[in-house]
Amino acid sequence: ELIDILHDRIDNKMKNLLKLEEIFMFALSIFLFTKLDFAWWWYPVLIFTPDLSMIGYIVSPQIGAATYNFIHHKAVGISIFVMGMMLANQPLQLAGLILFGHSSMDRILGYGLKYPDSFQHTHLGIIGKA
């Protein structure tokens, strides 16, 4: 039982450390957004648009997981942002920051990348598990 208690403490510390990392990445997306020439309200208006990728779940859990995971993969957001920087295209930079920031926000809240069997099964565990 002592080993289980120690394991739970280590597990909780690791989860907190990962959440802290995600908080910093979310804050980075907001900071970089402030360097763009958009009104402040664009960020909160757009921050949930990546969740439109859940529409794939209408077709099947496999299609839903694929569309959700693609849009919520941080490398996609970073790539779009960098492409926007290289092209001096602020709307592309904004799109990349929204994708990146949203993905970090989701991870802070416990929503991870999806397995193809169900929406609730994520790389961070089962959503709604007590």
Side-chain angles (χ1 to χ4, degrees):
E1 183 163 315
L2 179 60
I3 291 186
D4 289 338
I5 292 170
L6 290 173
H7 183 266
D8 287 344
R9 284 187 180 177
I10 291 169
D11 192 42
N12 284 334
K13 286 183 181 190
M14 183 60 71
K15 286 179 184 177
N16 289 336
L17 183 62
L18 291 172
K19 278 188 182 185
L20 183 62
E21 182 179 45
E22 296 297 344
I23 289 167
F24 274 88
M25 284 189 267
F26 182 60
L28 175 63
S29 75
I30 293 170
F31 171 76
L32 291 173
F33 170 77
T34 67
K35 302 304 176 191
L36 300 177
D37 294 325
F38 291 96
W40 69 268
W41 51 266
W42 278 108
Y43 195 93
V45 164
L46 295 173
I47 194 64
F48 291 103
T49 57
D51 280 338
L52 292 172
S53 64
M54 288 188 283
I55 290 173
Y57 280 96
I58 292 172
V59 178
S60 72
Q62 295 81 18
I63 299 294
T67 58
Y68 184 95
N69 289 345
F70 178 75
I71 295 299
H72 287 77
H73 197 288
K74 290 183 185 177
V76 172
I78 292 168
S79 297
I80 292 171
F81 176 75
V82 169
M83 187 184 313
M85 287 185 63
M86 290 171 40
L87 298 172
N89 183 315
Q90 287 206 0
L92 265 181
Q93 292 175 49
L94 174 61
L97 288 176
I98 292 297
L99 291 173
F100 180 75
H102 175 89
S103 297
S104 290
M105 181 183 69
D106 268 7
R107 305 247 181 23
I108 292 166
L109 299 173
Y111 295 97
L113 298 175
K114 309 301 182 194
Y115 285 93
D117 59 333
S118 82
F119 179 82
Q120 290 79 19
H121 188 191
T122 79
H123 83 284
L124 297 176
I126 303 295
I127 297 171
K129 182 180 171 189

